């Protein structure tokens, strides 16, 4: 057996396992149970296969001005530099600076779910993000430019008779800048990536839906680099801190 064949079989097994889990979600009777199970499957998959520098979780995004996003089904954030992330009554809050990508998780890909995902994306992208200088032994690196937060949708199947046909393309091209959906994976139909700057649209066949999505997402994350350093002074402005000068004697 050739190395190429082995790799193909590994990819096929990976996709088959995810489809099996998605099929189990579909047989659950209660819609909330189906949704929760699908979210857990995707979150577990991201945390298992992505490099350890990334962390996936259901979360709400906050900024230094006290604004918050809608709750996001799956947030991909930096596992090392998210030291302001905290859990309050079962809700995980993550600083906007730490976010790489956000995903809406549904059973079906359709116009209503795409528009809903766009609204979720807008609630995150409109948040304020800081970027601080980074000290090192020889001085300081300048603040890192803010990256574009990726937005996507993850589903099991498509509600469109032609999954990524004209109706889908018309939908994805109609978003405002903050609502744009960059990518998605429909396990049983294929995955897509849309570059809004170049207007280039790419899609995979249904046999490679999960693998193509995973590899292309890794490329985008590599190009993004590390998240910016959080300007903690901006977050401290939310605190009631009194400052005064106290003279002291000289020795």
């Amino acid at each position: 057996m050739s190395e190429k064949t082995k790799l193909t079989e590994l990819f096929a097994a990976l996709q088959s396992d995810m489809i099996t889990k998605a099929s189990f979600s579909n047989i659950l009777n209660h819609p909330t149970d189906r949704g929760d199970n699908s979210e857990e499957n995707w979150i577990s998959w991201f945390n298992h296969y992505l490099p350890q520098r990334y962390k996936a979780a259901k979360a709400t995004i906050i900024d230094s001005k006290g604004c918050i996003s809608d709750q996001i089904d799956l947030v991909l954030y930096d596992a090392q530099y998210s030291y302001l992330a905290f859990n309050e009554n079962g809700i995980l809050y993550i600083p906007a600076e730490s976010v790489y990508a956000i995903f809406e998780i549904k059973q079906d890909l359709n116009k209503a779910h795409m528009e809903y995902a766009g609204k979720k994306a807008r609630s995150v992208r409109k948040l304020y993000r800081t970027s601080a200088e980074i000290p090192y032994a020889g001085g300081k690196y300048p603040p890192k430019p803010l990256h574009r937060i990726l937005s996507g949708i993850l589903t099991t199947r498509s509600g469109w008779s032609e999954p990524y046909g004209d109706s889908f393309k018309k939908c994805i091209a109609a978003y405002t800048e903050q609502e744009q959906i960059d990518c998605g994976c429909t396990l049983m139909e294929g995955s897509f990536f849309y570059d809004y700057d170049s207007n280039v649209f790419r899609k995979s066949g249904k046999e490679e839906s999960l693998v193509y999505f995973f590899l292309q997402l890794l490329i985008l994350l590599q190009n993004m680099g590390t998240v910016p350093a959080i300007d903690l002074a901006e977050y401290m402005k939310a605190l009631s801190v009194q400052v005064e000068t106290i003279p002291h004697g000289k020795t």
Side-chain angles (χ1 to χ4, degrees):
M1 182 182 296
S2 69
E3 293 299 324
K4 181 177 181 181
T5 303
K6 289 181 181 178
L7 184 61
T8 302
E9 290 186 356
L10 286 171
F11 284 162
L14 176 65
Q15 180 159 323
S16 177
D17 179 63
M18 195 64 180
I19 289 176
T20 299
K21 292 178 180 178
S23 298
F24 175 77
S25 297
N26 290 335
I27 67 175
L28 298 175
N29 291 325
H30 198 282
T32 301
D33 292 339
R34 288 198 298 270
D36 290 346
N37 189 260
S38 293
E39 290 169 9
E40 286 300 319
N41 286 339
W42 280 106
I43 290 170
S44 176
W45 183 82
F46 271 82
N47 283 328
H48 184 74
Y49 289 103
L50 283 177
Q52 292 186 356
R53 67 179 292 183
Y54 305 108
K55 179 74 173 177
K58 184 171 186 173
T60 299
I61 317 302
I62 59 174
D63 68 15
S64 61
K65 297 184 180 295
C67 298
I68 64 172
S69 72
D70 296 336
Q71 190 171 54
I72 307 301
D73 289 342
L74 192 157
V75 180
L76 194 59
Y77 65 100
D78 192 279
Q80 183 175 358
Y81 297 109
S82 297
Y83 34 77
L84 284 182
F86 61 94
N87 198 306
E88 178 67 21
N89 295 325
I91 300 176
L92 179 64
Y93 292 90
I94 299 172
E97 293 87 346
S98 299
V99 177
Y100 290 105
I102 59 170
F103 295 94
E104 184 67 14
I105 299 173
K106 298 293 184 184
Q107 297 298 313
D108 300 303
L109 180 71
N110 57 42
K111 187 174 186 291
H113 289 160
M114 287 286 290
E115 291 176 346
Y116 186 68
K119 292 178 181 178
K120 291 288 191 78
R122 183 179 63 207
S123 77
V124 173
R125 288 181 174 141
K126 70 181 183 181
L127 296 177
Y128 179 73
R129 288 184 287 166
T130 67
S131 183
E133 294 180 328
I134 304 173
Y136 69 103
K140 292 182 179 180
Y141 292 114
K144 183 181 183 294
L146 297 177
H147 61 269
R148 170 185 170 80
I149 295 176
L150 295 173
S151 174
I153 185 166
L154 306 170
T155 70
T156 303
R157 55 186 177 265
S158 176
W160 275 296
S161 57
E162 186 180 1
Y164 297 129
D166 291 341
S167 296
F168 171 82
K169 293 173 184 175
K170 182 178 179 180
C171 177
I172 201 172
Y175 292 111
T176 65
E177 184 175 356
Q178 288 186 337
E179 296 171 337
Q180 292 170 352
I181 304 298
D182 305 292
C183 58
C185 179
T186 300
L187 285 171
M188 296 181 177
E189 301 292 347
S191 56
F192 75 90
F193 285 83
Y194 183 41
D195 187 330
Y196 283 86
D197 290 332
S198 64
N199 295 324
V200 172
F201 178 78
R202 298 179 175 88
K203 64 178 180 179
S204 76
K206 60 183 180 180
E207 293 81 7
E208 302 86 24
S209 59
L210 189 60
V211 174
Y212 174 72
F213 172 77
F214 176 65
L215 294 178
Q216 185 62 45
L217 178 62
L218 279 178
I219 291 172
L220 294 177
L221 291 173
Q222 286 177 340
N223 293 337
M224 195 179 295
T226 306
V227 294
I230 297 176
D231 188 343
L232 296 175
E234 289 295 317
Y235 281 85
M236 287 183 63
K237 291 179 180 179
L239 307 177
S240 297
V241 179
Q242 294 183 346
V243 180
E244 59 181 294
T245 301
I246 301 178
H248 63 90
K250 295 182 180 180
T251 58

